Amino acid sequence: MKFHHYGLLVSDIDTSIDRFKSFNYEMVIKDKDELQQAELSILENKHSRIELVCPFADNESLNKLLRNKSDNGYHLCFEVQDIDLTCKELKKNKLV
């Protein structure tokens, strides 16, 4: 299992992009994801990768998280060779 990126839930994607650019991150992609009902942006520097997730106005579940806290950690993403095997192992070890 290899760490891929840290997901951050944000209320304003453009302000958040500017904030990370001030820390020497470069925007790799910015796109709208209809399935997740959110605008997404990936930013990288030579040490790490961040995914900003900004929910659409009608995405009640993510907007509820933002109402309870401002910008906050949302997920960690890992690369794996076999997703099914990895899920079984994580469940076996009570990590999910």
Side-chain angles (χ1 to χ4, degrees):
M1 190 177 331
K2 178 182 171 188
F3 180 75
H4 187 265
H5 71 265
Y6 175 71
L8 185 65
L9 188 59
V10 299
S11 57
D12 183 322
I13 200 158
D14 292 320
T15 299
S16 298
I17 289 169
D18 289 342
R19 184 181 309 144
F20 279 97
K21 283 182 174 180
S22 74
F23 291 106
N24 297 318
Y25 279 83
E26 293 183 21
M27 186 172 58
V28 176
I29 191 168
K30 181 179 176 187
D31 202 2
K32 293 182 181 186
D33 185 331
E34 298 297 329
L35 183 64
Q36 293 187 59
Q37 296 180 321
E39 190 168 11
L40 309 174
S41 183
I42 300 285
L43 295 104
E44 296 179 336
N45 67 18
K46 61 183 176 180
H47 302 292
S48 63
R49 184 178 297 121
I50 307 258
E51 178 183 34
L52 302 176
V53 180
C54 183
F56 295 161
D58 59 346
N59 186 331
E60 185 56 34
S61 60
L62 292 185
N63 281 304
K64 183 178 180 181
L65 288 174
L66 283 174
R67 281 192 300 273
N68 292 335
K69 284 184 166 181
S70 61
D71 299 349
N72 59 75
Y74 180 53
H75 67 266
L76 298 175
C77 182
F78 295 88
E79 294 179 36
V80 298
Q81 293 291 326
D82 183 330
I83 189 70
D84 294 323
L85 178 61
T86 301
C87 286
K88 286 178 187 175
E89 288 294 316
L90 291 171
K91 288 177 184 176
K92 177 180 152 186
N93 291 302
K94 298 179 181 176
L95 295 170
V96 292

